[in-house]
């Protein structure tokens, strides 16, 4: 006859001194962490501005279908890429399912139109920023060729520069690589969110670019590939009863500041947008109002500018004023860029004002 036995479960003995396992940082992770805490140098700051512009232009061009799909490359917007425009241009394509902030780069050598546009950016705009003369760049889309009064949407990048004669004498304007690249990614994310919500473009849009020079720019200065516009040249205008304006925030890279504003005409027939905030009721919106005045002597105000949707009070321009000249409008306008002397000089590409998009 079998007898039941009480069996005591075996207890695994713990070692007298059990070491707690902690994740060990690799050499690469340690180096990256140290890099992110470093203060941005002047050359790095310029590279960060260039990369932000490249990332923003490529992403908005892709979402708005300004060029054929084969003109674009999907990539991750990492800290390493944010501080080096060369690495940005050569970064490999990534799977869209890969985690991280993904952007789209406009690629050279695919279409003539894309190459022309990249030439405007890399040869003219980048040089004007390097020289410290570029106050703003406006990338805009019109429904008719070379017609400033048929603007459908605009993307206004405003620039500011550290006054080293003032700021460096009291310790400089210290911004880390990590914080600068993070703010650049935040601007790009906000831009992606805004552009995905805009109304559909017409079948045959035109793409163009305007530059605004700072007040201290020499009279004979021209960015490569650009020419000065006559002071009587009409300003860019969005005409319609439903105009949306967005503030996509700003990046402070230590020696440069960049802010971005988007304005767009909402097509009432396009119901994708729904009850979108930030609209402005009126018959005309002068796009130059999106150009921001740079802070004086310091870039600190840029770090305080957040991404918001600007909600303007309704403005309606009487029909009797519709035919007024741009100069007359500037005299009566209450914005900070009311006069040509405040705006600085304007410039447009020498080879033609607009690019026809398929």
């Amino acid at each position: 006859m079998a007898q039941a036995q009480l069996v005591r479960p075996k207890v695994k003995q713990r070692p007298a001194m059990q070491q707690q396992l902690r994740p060990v940082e690799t050499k690469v992770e340690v180096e990256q962490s140290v890099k992110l805490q470093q203060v941005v140098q002047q050359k790095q700051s310029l590279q960060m501005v260039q990369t932000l512009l490249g990332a923003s232009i490529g992403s908005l061009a892709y979402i708005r279908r300004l060029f054929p799909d084969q003109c674009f490359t999907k990539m991750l917007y990492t800290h390493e890429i944010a501080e080096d425009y060369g690495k940005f241009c050569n970064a490999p394509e990534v799977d869209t399912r890969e985690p991280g902030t993904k952007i789209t780069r406009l690629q050279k050598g695919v279409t003539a139109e894309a190459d022309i546009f990249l030439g405007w950016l890399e040869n003219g705009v980048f040089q004007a920023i390097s020289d410290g003369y570029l106050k703003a760049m406006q990338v805009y889309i019109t429904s008719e060729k070379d017609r400033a009064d048929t603007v459908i949407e605009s993307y206004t990048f405003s620039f500011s520069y550290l006054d080293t004669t003032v700021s460096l004498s009291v310790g400089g304007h210290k911004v880390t690589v990590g914080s600068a690249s993070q703010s650049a990614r935040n601007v790009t994310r906000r831009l992606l969110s805004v552009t995905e919500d805009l109304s559909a473009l017409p079948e045959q849009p035109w793409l163009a670019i305007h530059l605004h020079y700072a007040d201290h720019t020499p009279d004979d200065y021209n960015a490569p590939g650009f020419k000065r516009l006559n002071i009587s040249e009409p300003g860019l205008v969005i005409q319609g009863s439903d105009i949306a304006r967005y503030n996509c925030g700003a990046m402070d890279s230590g020696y440069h500041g960049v802010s971005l504003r988007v304005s767009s005409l909402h097509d009432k027939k396009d119901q994708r947008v729904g009850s979108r905030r930030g609209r402005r009721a009126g018959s005309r919106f002068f796009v130059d109002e999106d150009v921001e005045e740079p802070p004086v002597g310091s870039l600190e105000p840029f770090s305080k500018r957040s991404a918001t949707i600007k909600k303007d009070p309704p403005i309606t321009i009487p029909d009797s004023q519709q035919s007024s000249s741009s100069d007359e409008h500037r005299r009566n306008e209450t914005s900070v860029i009311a006069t040509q002397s405040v705006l600085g000089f304007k410039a447009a590409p020498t080879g033609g004002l607009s690019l026809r998009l398929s």
Side-chain angles (χ1 to χ4, degrees):
M1 182 176 178
Q3 295 182 354
Q5 295 182 357
L6 182 62
V7 179
R8 197 173 185 182
K10 294 181 179 181
V11 178
K12 188 176 181 180
Q13 296 294 325
R14 295 184 179 181
M17 295 181 65
Q18 185 178 27
Q19 294 182 353
Q20 294 183 354
L21 297 178
R22 296 181 180 178
V24 179
E25 287 187 324
T26 65
K27 181 179 179 180
V28 174
E29 290 174 332
V30 172
E31 290 177 349
Q32 184 180 29
S33 178
V34 172
K35 179 71 174 177
L36 296 180
Q37 297 304 315
Q38 292 179 349
V39 175
V40 177
Q41 302 302 311
Q42 190 165 3
K43 289 184 178 180
Q44 282 179 303
S45 179
L46 179 60
Q47 291 277 311
M48 286 184 163
V49 172
Q50 294 174 349
T51 303
L52 174 61
L53 293 180
S56 301
I57 296 298
S59 297
L60 74 87
Y62 176 75
I63 294 177
R64 303 305 284 149
R65 300 179 181 273
L66 302 183
F67 301 101
D69 288 348
Q70 58 266 32
C71 291
F72 300 97
T73 299
K74 294 275 187 177
M75 56 181 290
L76 287 176
Y77 200 14
T78 64
H79 292 289
E80 184 180 24
I81 287 175
E83 61 171 311
D84 192 322
Y85 186 72
K87 291 181 179 179
F88 166 81
C89 293
N90 297 302
E93 189 164 9
V94 298
D95 193 314
T96 55
R97 295 170 294 182
E98 204 164 322
T101 302
K102 286 173 283 295
I103 55 176
T104 311
R105 182 181 70 236
L106 186 58
Q107 201 70 30
K108 291 181 180 178
V110 182
T111 67
E113 291 78 12
D115 287 351
I116 291 173
F117 188 78
L118 284 172
W120 292 346
L121 181 68
E122 296 179 344
N123 299 329
V125 174
F126 287 1
Q127 185 61 53
I129 296 172
S130 178
D131 294 335
Y133 294 141
L134 188 61
K135 179 178 181 179
M137 173 185 72
Q138 292 175 315
V139 177
Y140 61 98
I141 301 170
T142 62
S143 58
E144 297 183 32
K145 181 181 180 181
D146 300 339
R147 285 286 303 275
D149 58 344
T150 65
V151 176
I152 302 169
E153 60 192 48
S154 64
Y155 303 84
T156 301
F157 297 83
S158 298
F159 303 93
S160 185
Y161 307 87
L162 178 67
D163 185 351
T164 55
T165 60
V166 176
S167 300
L168 293 186
S169 63
V170 293
H173 180 65
K174 296 181 180 180
V175 175
T176 65
V177 172
S179 63
S181 59
Q182 182 60 52
S183 63
R185 290 203 302 274
N186 291 340
V187 172
T188 306
R189 288 195 191 105
R190 176 61 182 153
L191 174 62
L192 293 174
S193 176
V194 168
T195 50
E196 287 174 348
D197 204 30
L198 299 180
S199 299
L201 293 173
E203 293 184 3
Q204 185 58 75
W206 295 82
L207 178 65
I209 183 172
H210 269 185
L211 303 185
H212 291 249
Y213 293 138
D215 296 338
H216 63 275
T217 305
D219 293 342
D220 59 350
Y221 179 83
N222 272 306
F226 285 81
K227 62 180 179 181
R228 294 290 182 99
L229 294 177
N230 194 292
I231 193 172
S232 62
E233 190 80 18
L236 304 178
V237 177
I238 299 178
Q239 301 192 71
S241 59
D242 200 359
I243 299 170
R245 299 179 65 194
Y246 301 98
N247 179 359
C248 293
M251 178 191 75
D252 176 3
S253 59
Y255 290 83
H256 303 81
V258 185
S259 63
L260 172 58
R261 291 181 179 271
V262 179
S263 294
S264 172
L265 176 64
H266 173 54
D267 184 357
K268 292 184 178 180
K269 297 179 182 179
D270 189 344
Q271 299 301 321
R272 296 176 304 144
V273 177
S275 57
R276 184 171 58 184
R277 293 177 57 208
R279 292 184 185 167
R280 170 181 181 146
S283 55
R284 277 188 172 191
F285 167 63
F286 290 82
V287 180
D288 286 348
E289 291 182 27
D290 279 342
V291 176
E292 295 192 73
E293 287 299 305
V296 178
S298 170
L299 292 181
E300 186 177 356
F302 268 86
S303 61
K304 299 178 180 179
R305 294 179 182 175
S306 58
T308 59
I309 300 176
K310 183 173 181 178
K311 195 170 184 180
D312 292 319
I315 296 178
T316 303
I317 298 178
D319 293 338
S320 60
Q321 297 182 19
Q322 294 298 319
S323 60
S324 62
S325 66
S326 58
D327 288 340
E328 181 178 352
H329 165 73
R330 293 192 186 102
R331 287 195 296 270
N332 297 325
E333 186 64 32
T334 58
S335 69
V336 294
I337 54 172
T339 65
Q340 182 66 20
S341 60
V342 176
L343 277 175
F345 298 101
K346 293 183 183 180
T350 55
L353 298 181
S354 304
L355 282 178
R356 183 174 181 174
L357 305 175
S358 55

